Amino acid sequence: MSSPLLTPELVGHLGRLDLVARLVVEGFLTGLHKSPYHGFSSEFAEYRQYIAGEPVAHMDWRVYAKTDRHYLKVFTEETNLRATLLVDCSASMDFTGDENRPTKKAYAGYLAAALSYLLLRQNDAVGLVTFDEAPLAMVPARSMRKQLFQVLKVLDDLPTGTGTRLGRVLHRVAERIPRRGLILLLSDMMDDPDRIISGLKHFRHMGHEVVVFQILDPREVDLGFEGEVEFESLEEPGRKIRMEPSHLRESYQQRFEQWRATLRRECRRQLVDLVEITTDTPFEKGLGAYLQKRRRMY
Amino acid sequence: MPLSFLNPSLLFGTAAAALPIIIHFLSRRRVQRRKFSDLRFLDEVQSRQARSLGIRRWLLLLLRVLAILLVALAAAGPRWGGVGNSSGDRSVLFIIDTSASMGTQMDEGNRLDEALSACEEMIRALPGGAAVQIITGGSLTAPLFGDWLPAGAGAVSGLSVVRLTDGPFDLPAVLREATRVVARAPGSPVEVVMLSDLQKTGQDMRLGPAAIRLNEAGATRFLVRRIGREVPGGGILSIDLPARAVRPGENITLRARVLPAYDEQVFSLELDGKPVAEAVTSGVGTGPVDIDFPVTVPAVGLHRGVVRKESDAFPGDDSRPLVLAVPEAVSVLLIHGPDRPVDSVAGRGGWRYLAQALAPGDGPSPFRVRAIPDSDLTTGAMSASDLLIFVNPEPLGRRGLESLLAWLDQGGAALFLVGDPAQSGYFSQTILPGLGLPVAVEYQSDAGRGQHVRVIDPQHPVFAGLDAEAVATFEEIAWRRWFRLEEGDGAVLLALTGEDPVLIEGTLGEGKFAVLPFDLMPQGSDLAASPMALPFFQRLASWLARPGRLSAAVNTEVGSEAMVRPLQPESGSSIEKTENLRVIDTDGRASGIATLAWQAGVPLLRGGTIVRSGFVTFLAGQDTLGVVAAGIPASESTLELSEVRDWRKMMEELDLDVAGDLTDQAPADFMAALGGRDAAPWLLGLALLLLLLEVWVGRGARLSLSPGPGNQP
C-alpha cells in the first residue's frame, strides 16, 4: 500500500504542493487495485468496456447475458460530503527532530493537500481552517475544481503561529461550520487533553464526524537525544531547560505515553477517530484512515 | 607511614584520575541547543529527577575518579602498615646483641639462638635486591661481612659464625660501627634492625657523639625486636682482692659482691682447683650483698681461683674467675739525695732508717729494697720496681720527672718523704704540682715538745688490724719539723694536733702515691726511733705496692684488653724473643703470639681483647709470665630488661629514628612489618567495586547508549 517513492523526506523536496498532492493521491489510488476499496459514489452513470485484468465486481452480468460482451457499470460521484481540514499552525508544529524530515507543520500541509486532492477528485466539498491560538485563515468548503487551488494556496503559505490553545480554537471553529460534515483535524494536540476533548465534543454535538490526525515527530516520542541538551520552547521563546535526555528518557516516555493514552481513551469515548502518525510515516496511512472513515460514513 | 609504595615513580599514573574530570568539563562545554515543541513533559520529569540526577552525575564523576586513582595506586606497588623503607634498593643492617646476657636460657636454646633464628628468617624474607650487613655487639663489636651482601643464602650462612661473648653490649661502639657501615650502604635510608634483650644499662656519655656521627653518615631507621623476657636469678658481680701485696701464709679475706637468687644461697671459692671456702648469704631481694671468704695465702706465685654458685637460667655469672698474685717480695727502689758530710749515719733524710725498716736483715722480709742516689735513677730501674720511695731527692730533671709521672700514670706506686727545708722549692714547685696537689707549702717547726699525730681512719688498710695500744703508741710520736701542705684532691690519713696533714694519699692515672712532708731525721720527729716505725712503713709500702693493672696477675672484665707486666722468666727464656711469647685464651686454646710493648719503660704483654670469661695465660716457653682473670661485667648480671618504649625514648633523645617494634611480629612476616602488606589486591578490588557501583548508579546512561527506537536510523 505504501509508495516507496513518496516518503515524507522525498516529497519535501518536490516543492509544489499541487504536484505533491497529485502524486501522493494517484500513487495511493493505484495501489488500491488490490484493496477492498473500489469506488465511493453510489449513483449509476454509464457503462464502459471491460479491460482484462480489471476487477469483475462491477461487471454487468445482465448485459453480458444479452450481448455476450463484458461491460462494467460506472457510478456517478456524490457531492453531499462537506469536509473541513483544520490545520494547526502553532509554534510547536514547527519542530522537527531531524533536518531530513519535514516539520510537523509541513507534514500536516502535505497531508492536508493530499486529502484535499482526494476529496475534490470525488467531488466532495473541501474547506480549510488554519489556526494557532485562534483561527488564522478560513476557506469555506466548495466542491469546485478551482477549490483545490484555493486550499493549496493557503497550505502553501502556512504562517508561523504562536502558542497552542486548541480547545478554544475548536470551539470557535465549530461555531463557524454550521452544516454537518467531516472534520479532519491535523495537529500535534499539544494542549490539555480535557480542553481538546471539550472542543471535539462541540463538533460532535454539531453532528460532525471527526478524524484527528495527531502528527508528532519521532524525537518527541522517544526523546532520542544524546549528550547534554539545552531545549528551548518553540511556543514560549526564551524558556529553556538544560538536561541530559538519556537520564530522563524513561520517565519522559512514560509520561508522554500516559498523555497519549488519555487522548486515545477520550477520543474513543467521543467516537472520534484518532490517527497517530509521526513525520516519518508515509502519507498513505493518513489517506487510508480517511478512506476507512469515509467508508463507514457511506 | 601506614601506606608506602614499592615503585613511587609510578605514582605519576594517579594523574590519570584527572581524565574523568577533564572529560566531564569538556563535555559540559559541548551543550547542544535545540528547539523543542513543548517543554511541559520535560519540565515535569526534570523537576522530579533533577536533584537526584545532579547528585548522580557528581557521584559518577567521583566514582570514576576514585576508580582510576585506585588502579594507579595499585600499579605503584602499595604497601600498607610498613614502618620501613619499601623501595626496591632496600639496605638492612642487622645488629645482633652477643653480650653475656644473651646467653640466658629460654624454652629452646638461649636468647642469642632466638636472635639468630629471627635474623635468618628476616633475611630470607627480604627481596633479592636488598642488601644486608650484620654487626655483632658484645665483647667485640664488628661487622660480620667485609661489605654489604645481597640478601640470600650467603648472608644467612654468615650467621653460623656468630658466637656468644661474655662482654657487655656496647651501644656506642655499635653506633660507631654502624656509622662506617651506613656510609657504604647501597640504599638509603638504611633499616637498622636491632635484635637484643635490651638489658638495662646506665648512661653513657659516648652515646651522644656516636649518634651524631651516625646521623651524619646517612639516614637510618631503627626497628627493634626485643629477645627474651626477664627471668629471676642471681650471680657473682665482682671479687675484691687485697689492695696490697700479700705474703705466703698470711690470713686474708677475699670479698665477693653477689646477687643472691634465694635465701641462704651458698657461694664457694676454689683456689688452684681446690675448694677453699664457702659463704652463705642471708636474705634475698635486697640487691647485691658482700660475702667474705677467709683464705690463707698460698705459696709465692700466680694462683687461679673461681667463685661459684648453683647454676640458674643465666649461666654467665654462675662462676667468676680470679687470679691471686703472691709475690716473692715487693721490689722497692729507694731513691735518696746524695749523702753530705753533715748527714748522719742514717743518711740524708734518714733513708737508711727506712731501708732498714722495710728489710730489717735479720729475717725474711716481704720487701726487697734497693737504694740508689737520685742521680742513678733510670727508667729501667724504675720499671723493674713495684714501689719507688723518694727521700729528700735532688731535682730529677725534666725528663726524669716526666718518666716518673708516666710510670705512675701507668699504674706505678711511689712514696715521697721530703723534710729538708732546702728542698722546699723543688718540693712545692715541681713534685706537688706533678702529683696534682696544691703548691702551697710552708715549713713548720715546733721547737718545744712538738705535735702528736692522729690516725684519721683506723679502718684504712694501712692501719686496719692494729690494736689500740699500737695506735696509741703511734699517736704518742712527736713531730717537730714538717711542711704544711694542703691535701687538695688527696685524702689525709694522718694529721697533727694542729690539723696539719702529715700523710696524704692520692692517685695519678692508674698509679697511687703517698706524701710524707717530713723526713726521718731525729730533729724532725721521733718516728724513726718509735717501735711503730717498722709496721707503719711496711704497711704503707705494702698498701702502695698493690697488685694493679701493671701486675703479672690482673683481674679484669670481659671486653677489656688482656695486658700484664710480665714476670721474669725462670727457665732462661727471654721475653725479647717475641716468637716465644704465647697466649692461651679463655677457652684454653693457644690463640697466638703475645705482643710485647713498652710503656714508660715498663714491658707489657698484650693478648688482645678478651671475649669470653676465664683465664688468659701468657707464656714464654714453659714459664708463666702473667695471668689475666676476666669475669663478665657486673652490668651483665643485671637481669632487668628495658621496655621497648623506654629504649625507643632513649634513642629518640639521641635524634635517632625508631620506626617500629618488631617484638610481637613473626620473623617470617618481617617484610610485612618492614614494607607493609601488599595492598594492591585490595585497591584493585575496591576499584572494581567502585566500577560496579558506577555502572549501577549510571545504569540509565548505560541503557541509553544501546540502540533504541529513538536511535534507529
Side-chain angles (χ1 to χ4, degrees), chain A residues 158-176:
Chain A
L158 289 173
T160 300
T162 55
T164 304
R165 304 184 72 174
L166 189 55
R168 195 176 68 172
V169 169
L170 292 178
H171 281 295
R172 290 176 62 178
V173 173
E175 292 296 331
R176 296 171 69 173

Side-chain angles (χ1 to χ4, degrees), chain A residues 37 71 137 189 201 214 218 254 282 297:
Chain A
Y37 306 107
Y71 286 94
M189 309 293 277
K201 274 184 183 175
Q214 186 185 25
Q254 287 176 357
M297 289 172 65

Side-chain angles (χ1 to χ4, degrees), chain B residues 486-664:
Chain B
E486 293 180 10
E487 68 271 24
D489 292 334
V492 178
L493 301 184
L494 291 174
L496 294 177
T497 315
E499 299 301 328
D500 287 345
V502 288
L503 176 54
I504 298 173
E505 67 156 324
T507 56
L508 183 67
E510 297 286 330
K512 193 174 185 181
F513 64 84
V515 176
L516 293 171
F518 58 88
D519 57 24
L520 297 179
M521 297 306 292
Q523 301 88 332
S525 71
D526 297 335
L527 178 60
S530 168
M532 286 304 294
L534 189 145
F536 171 67
F537 281 112
Q538 286 197 353
R539 280 172 171 259
L540 182 59
S542 174
W543 172 67
L544 282 171
R546 60 176 176 156
R549 194 167 68 85
L550 289 182
S551 167
V554 175
N555 288 280
T556 186
E557 291 184 338
V558 172
S560 59
E561 185 181 9
M563 185 167 64
V564 296
R565 192 181 69 180
L567 298 171
Q568 282 295 325
E570 296 174 354
S571 58
S573 301
S574 170
I575 62 171
E576 302 294 343
K577 294 181 179 177
T578 54
E579 63 272 18
N580 291 335
L581 304 177
R582 292 181 294 120
V583 180
I584 308 298
D585 66 14
T586 50
D587 293 327
R589 295 173 304 194
S591 60
I593 298 174
T595 305
L596 177 64
W598 292 86
Q599 287 187 359
V602 179
L604 292 174
L605 285 178
R606 290 183 159 175
T609 303
I610 305 170
V611 179
R612 300 296 304 271
S613 175
F615 299 98
V616 178
T617 307
F618 292 88
L619 298 172
Q622 298 301 314
D623 296 335
T624 299
L625 302 183
V627 175
V628 177
I632 69 162
S635 60
E636 290 298 299
S637 285
T638 306
L639 300 174
E640 288 181 88
L641 307 183
S642 294
E643 294 295 330
V644 172
R645 62 174 180 274
D646 297 331
W647 187 85
R648 190 173 190 159
K649 185 178 175 185
M650 178 198 73
M651 295 294 275
E652 286 172 350
E653 285 174 356
L654 296 169
D655 282 338
L656 294 173
D657 178 17
V658 181
D661 177 10
L662 304 177
T663 302
D664 297 325

Side-chain angles (χ1 to χ4, degrees), chain B residues 17 105 109 130 141 143 172 179 218 238 255 260 275 319 362 369 490 556 634 638 677 691 708:
Chain B
Q105 295 297 309
T141 300
T179 300
S238 62
R255 173 164 291 178
S319 64
D362 54 352
V369 180
T556 186
T638 306
R677 295 183 185 280
L691 286 175

